[in-house]
Amino acid sequence: DHGYAAWLRYEQVTGDSMASYASWANEMVLPAGVPVDGVLKTAVQELSRGIRSMLGTAPTVEHEPSRQRFIVLGVLGGGSLIDAAAGDTAALSSEGYILKTVHERDRAYIVAAGKSDKAVLYAAFHLLRLMQSGSAIDQLHLMESPTYSLRMINHWDNMDGSVERGYSGRSIFYENNNVLSDSERIRDYARLMASVGINGIAINNVNVHREETYLITEKLLPDVARIAEVFGEYGIKLFLSVNYAGTIEIGGLDTADPLDPQVRTWWKEKAAEVYRYIPDFGGFLVKADSENRPGPFTYGRDHADGANMLAEALEPYGGLVLWRCFVYNCHQDWRDRSTDRARAAYDHFKPLDGRFKDNVILQIKNGPMDFQVREPVSPLFGAMEHTNQMMEFQIAQEYTGQQKDVCFLVPQWKEVLNFDTYVKGSGSTVKEIAAGHVHAYTHSGITAVSNIGNDENWTGHHLAQANLYGYGRLIWNPELSSEEIAGEWAVQTFGGNEKVRDILVNFLLESWSIYENYTAPLGVGWMVTPHYHYGPDIDGYEYSKWGTYHFADHKGIGVDRTVATGTGYSSQYMQANSQVYDSLEACPDELLLFFHHVPYTHELKSGKTVVQHIYDTHFAGVERVEYWIGRWQELEGLVGVDRFRHVAARLNKQLDNAMAWRDIVNTYFFRKSGIPDAHNRVIY
Ligand code: BDP
């Protein structure tokens, strides 16, 4: 078993549940007169497939019930059985659904019905999830709508088949500068994504090289349209990253000035062409003026000019521009302490509030730097009342172990979502802002960089599948706890054995903190091998142009981002937060070195000194990896041999990595500070 089915394994059900499920699932009733095509057809197929796999036989599909128990599937308003059961569904969004067990005098049935075909598909997957987890379905009374309207994935896939920051093989979309013709794998991917509610996927890297620039031309659009069709069957819209300088690269013009009429016309014609091939195309994702990518700055224009130019082209078709805010100077002089990369997104975009068209959404990374193991929440999020925004997470574990080390990121994402920005007083959490509840956004939601590739198990490490699953579930419903999500995933992916479940869940829940323990301390970030971002290199980014410094010397460490003596980054937050971050006393330990430069002897809230904290956490991180290696061994025979061995091997790699970090970090700070470990452990 190589993990290809991920969480859609649908293993044969046994025991008591079997008889119960079978009593319902022999017959599927679809309202008469409704054409069963498109996404609705997918819903019927998925439900049949799952049931056949779990119970041995697929349900018969009827228009009129012939049994005493059955499942009814359909769109709300589409038939008497559904409507009688539905009750008041005004609160449901267009992607919302009900799952309800109705008991009448002489018959009973489960209604899985939604506001749209897509919602029916989500209802079907929900029912399958319950059955796969061994939950009772005799008394269902559920109503669900997704919290976010855009629930997206961004692929950083290149047409040569490589994946930027990919840790699980090559692209499933491209090879050798061609779009792959085998759609089977893409379909299986679409199934996985739809099963957790993803409804938009951008299929190419935000760094658009020359080859990918052609994705929006007649040369490649027929191939892209095939992918869009497969996604479309699963209710997923396709998006493309575009090259801001497309007019120059492939358009035969010598400018990409957003105010130039020829440039505007070119993009309008481009949009028309794209929509001819892909009528439900989602829109363009753009990385401009960032890390050497072209952008409007070249022409003395700002990002509102650039984004609006593309938005105008997409507007007639309802298309969106997802404009990234990861804009900073990546050629800065490390000797010059006046530029702070953390400030950049806010400084660039905040003054533009209100200038963007309605079909532009600013896509903002969760932190001000770059997907570190620990960062504060970006102060730009929520700071623009009149501009649509969406959150960008990274499922790919670029800085969090690269799918060699286990790092379950749902707890990190939950912290971000629960962060209160105070932009409109208390309760203005990121969670509510991204949902468009704090400012009345026309469009908003959440996106994340994918962690999949063409490895048999999709994600390299089997346990990294939990991040993909967890991301989808969390952005459907951010009130789910990390534990619930990990538990759902574990049971569906590794079966119902309680010991297996407990070990997996507890390991996943602790894994982020373990990773943080043995890597860069107290929010300072970086300290990674330059370019690769795996493994320790304390000064790797210290004297470089990227704006990524820790400023360690013999007395202390940390970045002073306070108002009085530092870069003033702390003032980008609303006062309730800025006063906490700005104050050495109030700043939370885990972000201390992000905001303050302190002596090694500075005492943390925990009562330890900074340097002792560094020593202790690095020893503890390694010990916990050793502990979990031991626990994993207990699962031999309880999980399939392939997955057992694969995870065991990766855990050994993780241990090597953790030990390297521990030894290098501890030695570095021992040598810098000259302060010995209070417990006299070995520091070289
Ligand atoms: C960084 C990655 C780089 C991406 C960039 C981005 O190292 O590969 O291109 O982010 O988000 O994390 O644009």
Side-chain angles (χ1 to χ4, degrees), residues 497 499-500 502-503 626-639 644 648 651:
N497 181 296
K499 180 164 187 176
V500 175
D502 283 355
I503 288 182
E626 283 166 341
Y627 169 81
W628 285 111
I629 287 177
R631 297 306 309 270
W632 183 258
Q633 289 303 320
E634 292 174 33
L635 299 185
E636 184 157 20
L638 297 178
V639 307
F644 175 78
L651 284 175

Side-chain angles (χ1 to χ4, degrees), residues 151-370:
R151 302 178 302 281
M152 288 195 56
I153 297 271
N154 292 178
H155 283 269
W156 286 358
D157 293 27
N158 303 316
M159 286 205 62
D160 64 4
S162 63
V163 178
E164 181 152 332
R165 310 307 176 187
Y167 311 106
S168 6
R170 298 181 62 79
S171 171
I172 66 164
F173 299 112
Y174 320 102
E175 193 55 79
N176 277 327
N177 295 326
N178 291 312
V179 178
L180 286 171
S181 54
D182 171 19
S183 316
E184 230 14 71
R185 179 121 201 186
I186 296 172
R187 184 178 307 276
D188 287 333
Y189 178 54
R191 292 182 67 222
L192 285 169
M193 293 299 89
S195 77
V196 291
I198 298 300
N199 66 4
I201 300 185
I203 60 166
N204 64 302
N205 192 355
V206 288
N207 296 318
V208 183
H209 314 100
R210 187 161 177 90
E211 279 306 321
E212 294 101 50
T213 308
Y214 287 103
L215 284 168
I216 53 168
T217 65
E218 270 170 354
K219 178 178 164 201
L220 294 171
L221 274 169
D223 294 328
V224 177
R226 273 190 298 113
I227 300 179
E229 208 170 294
V230 175
F231 280 179
E233 287 168 25
Y234 282 86
I236 298 167
K237 280 194 181 207
L238 182 140
F239 291 71
L240 290 171
S241 299
V242 294
N243 186 332
Y244 180 79
T247 46
I248 302 173
E249 286 274 334
I250 58 170
L253 302 181
D254 58 6
T255 176
D257 180 350
L259 301 189
D260 184 306
Q262 277 180 295
V263 172
R264 299 174 89 90
T265 305
W266 189 82
W267 280 107
K268 281 186 188 153
E269 284 167 3
K270 250 312 131 207
E273 193 179 332
V274 172
Y275 277 92
R276 264 201 306 282
Y277 284 92
I278 310 169
D280 61 349
F281 180 66
F284 294 152
L285 170 60
V286 193
K287 172 176 180 177
D289 289 317
S290 166
E291 299 184 332
N292 310 316
R293 302 312 300 157
F297 285 164
T298 309
Y299 309 95
R301 314 295 183 194
D302 63 31
H303 279 220
D305 298 326
N308 289 343
M309 181 266 293
L310 294 173
E312 190 181 75
L314 294 172
E315 202 170 27
Y317 316 95
L320 302 174
V321 175
L322 313 177
W323 190 270
R324 296 179 85 229
C325 295
F326 186 61
V327 177
Y328 70 100
N329 177 8
C330 66
H331 295 283
Q332 68 193 59
D333 182 350
W334 60 269
R335 299 165 203 87
D336 167 14
R337 292 199 176 197
S338 68
T339 20
D340 178 5
R341 169 166 165 184
R343 293 189 58 120
Y346 186 99
D347 285 345
H348 279 303
F349 285 94
K350 166 82 178 166
L352 303 179
D353 190 19
R355 297 231 355 255
F356 292 91
K357 287 180 80 80
D358 242 14
N359 59 329
V360 177
I361 312 176
L362 297 187
Q363 184 169 311
I364 303 171
K365 286 191 184 186
N366 60 269
M369 295 299 275
D370 194 8

Side-chain angles (χ1 to χ4, degrees), residues 9 462-463 489-496 500 504 632 639 643:
R9 294 168 67 83
H462 284 288
L463 304 193
W489 173 79
V491 170
Q492 292 175 84
T493 311
F494 281 90
V500 175
L504 280 167
W632 183 258
V639 307
R643 288 194 290 175

